[in-house]
Amino acid sequence: MITLNDYWMGRDKTYAAALTADIVHNAEETVRRANALLNSFRAVTKDNESRHVNSGWRPPDLNRSTPGAALRSKHITGQAIDIADPDGDLDEWCMDNADTLARLSLWLEHPSATKGWCHLQTVPPKSGRRVFYP
């Protein structure tokens, strides 16, 4: 299970001045939905691998210094999470289970753009597609 502390990655303390009530609310919802997805994934695949957060909340200053990060990344607003997926099995399962993504109101960055992690967000991208390219 991913915790809010996992999501913050200590940034809630080091960047406390940038953390707003809206970001906290968004992060709580992002973690809730990510855990619901992981529970569905594990129920079907019997996967017991511990999944850690590769990237959770990123304050604007940190986001600017993150290689490959989008200027308007949903990580900034607490509406995105990158979950470790070294073998790509979580991404593959998500691609095959778009109905679960839709039920949980999650959007997936296409696995071809996220080798080693699974990027999920709680708001639709500009394209509106459930699986999208950055």
Side-chain angles (χ1 to χ4, degrees):
M1 172 174 259
I2 293 170
T3 68
L4 201 52
N5 280 334
D6 297 332
Y7 185 79
W8 295 131
M9 304 175 76
R11 297 169 184 160
D12 58 325
K13 302 203 182 5
T14 47
Y15 295 93
L19 187 59
T20 66
D22 284 343
I23 293 170
V24 171
H25 173 76
N26 292 342
E28 290 169 344
E29 186 61 19
T30 298
V31 168
R32 185 190 70 73
R33 292 186 204 179
N35 279 322
L37 180 96
L38 287 172
N39 287 338
S40 293
F41 169 70
R42 289 178 174 137
V44 172
T45 65
K46 307 299 183 213
D47 176 89
N48 290 322
E49 182 180 339
S50 176
R51 302 280 174 164
H52 69 272
V53 177
N54 276 8
S55 191
W57 175 56
R58 291 197 299 247
D61 289 346
L62 181 60
N63 192 69
R64 279 191 289 279
S65 66
T66 302
L71 291 176
R72 293 186 179 99
S73 171
K74 297 306 178 197
H75 288 277
I76 296 169
T77 56
Q79 296 172 303
I81 188 170
D82 294 340
I83 301 171
D85 189 25
D87 300 323
D89 53 340
L90 179 57
D91 267 336
E92 182 179 333
W93 184 86
C94 287
M95 292 291 288
D96 291 340
N97 291 276
D99 57 325
T100 301
L101 292 172
R103 180 175 52 80
L104 296 172
S105 294
L106 287 169
W107 286 262
L108 173 72
E109 192 167 317
H110 196 280
S112 67
T114 59
K115 299 292 183 196
W117 72 91
C118 175
H119 172 92
L120 298 165
Q121 60 187 55
T122 60
V123 291
K126 286 181 186 176
S127 70
R129 293 187 175 135
R130 189 65 57 190
V131 178
F132 65 97
Y133 290 93

